[in-house]
Every structure is written in C-alpha cells, then in structure tokens.
Amino acid sequence: MPRLPLLAAVAVLAAGTAEAHAPGGSSFGFAAGLSHPFLGIDHLLAMVAVGLLAVQQQGKVWLLPGAFVAAMAAGLGLGALGFGMPLEAAIIGSVVLLGALVALGRGLPPAALVTVVAVSAALHGHAHGLELPAASSAVGALAGTAVLHAIGVGLGLGLKPVAVRTCGAAFAAVALVLVLA
C-alpha cells in the first residue's frame, strides 16, 4: 500500500490554484464538468477529505459522500440560477474544517458531520454553478465529485488511521496557506 500516499500526493500537487473554474473557461459538456472538481486544490482536498472522513465513521461509509453530492447539486442549482456570490474564504475555510475533522478522527456526532459536509458542499456547488456553462457540465461536476469521494474512501480504507489523520492535518494546513496567500 505504500503507493497510495504517493498517488494522493501527486494528485494534490497536480491540482491547480484555488479556483472553481477550468482554465480558459471555454470548455463545456460532461467531460468539462467531470474534470472541474479536479482543477482547484480547494475542491479536490475537500472532496477527498469527505471520503477520508466517511471511512473514519465506521458505518455507513457512503452517508457523508451522498450528503455532499446532494447538497452540492442544490448549490450548483442556486449558482446556475445566479443567486448570490461565492465566498472563496468560506470555501477554503470549509477545507480547513474538513481537514481538521479528519485529523481529529471521530469527533462529531453523525448529524453534525452531515451538516458540516452539506454546508461545505453547498458552498463548493454554488461556486461551480456560477462558473459551469451548461447543465451537462453540472452533471459531470457531480460525477467528478463522486470520483474524488471514492478516491478518499479508497485512501481511507488503504491507509493506517494515523496516516489518514496526517492527511487531514496536511489538507487543513494547505487550506490555511491558501487563506493566507
């Protein structure tokens, strides 16, 4: 299993800046939406963190990722309709919070975790909804999100608990650097 942390590190380093939009902003369709969550380090870290956090709950592993995708879909819809503006600081703050929760392990009751995940997802979805050009892109973004959750779950199942918590601390640290940058 030593390759899993290396693959995770490569994925993190390959991600772009903390932005929800694709470079150039002119691509559209399912494939563009699918790649969308992978292009901003804030989104990538948040979604992988949700997968890691889900594994730490030792139960319904797909509850948190499912809540994230559902709330992200709602946020996407609101963003696509032009409601409000994304709050980049809140989005990055959600990464700090999700990373810290992973670093701490099982610290909150399930209902509180679902709430934190849903609010984070709505923020991320809203940012994507403001920037994605078409409904097919939104479906792709939700699929990309699910893929990142699955990667997080896979990492969570493949790594020792201390390594999972270390990943969470690293995610929170990266997000803090983004806040300060």
Side-chain angles (χ1 to χ4, degrees):
M1 294 290 171
R3 292 186 183 141
L4 286 175
L6 177 61
L7 290 173
V10 169
V12 167
L13 292 173
T17 60
E19 298 174 4
H21 55 81
S26 62
S27 59
F28 60 91
F30 183 83
L34 183 66
S35 66
H36 210 73
F38 291 85
L39 298 175
I41 195 166
D42 52 345
H43 298 287
L44 187 144
L45 292 178
M47 294 168 199
V48 173
V50 168
L52 293 171
L53 191 58
V55 169
Q56 289 178 320
Q57 304 319 301
Q58 300 176 351
K60 299 176 182 173
V61 173
W62 298 107
L63 176 66
L64 294 178
F68 193 103
V69 171
M72 185 174 163
L76 272 161
L78 290 174
L81 293 172
F83 286 102
M85 299 172 15
L87 302 170
E88 193 63 29
I91 292 169
I92 294 172
S94 74
V95 180
V96 174
L97 180 57
L98 291 169
L101 288 171
V102 172
L104 294 173
R106 295 173 45 137
L108 292 176
L113 281 174
V114 169
T115 301
V116 167
V117 165
V119 169
S120 297
L123 290 168
H124 287 267
H126 186 265
H128 287 304
L130 285 173
E131 298 169 352
L132 287 172
S136 60
S137 294
V139 172
L142 293 172
T145 294
V147 168
L148 286 170
H149 290 322
I151 289 169
V153 167
L155 286 171
L157 292 172
L159 296 173
K160 294 183 179 185
V162 69
V164 171
R165 290 190 305 274
T166 302
C167 285
F171 289 8
V174 168
L176 282 172
V177 168
L178 292 173
V179 168
L180 299 173

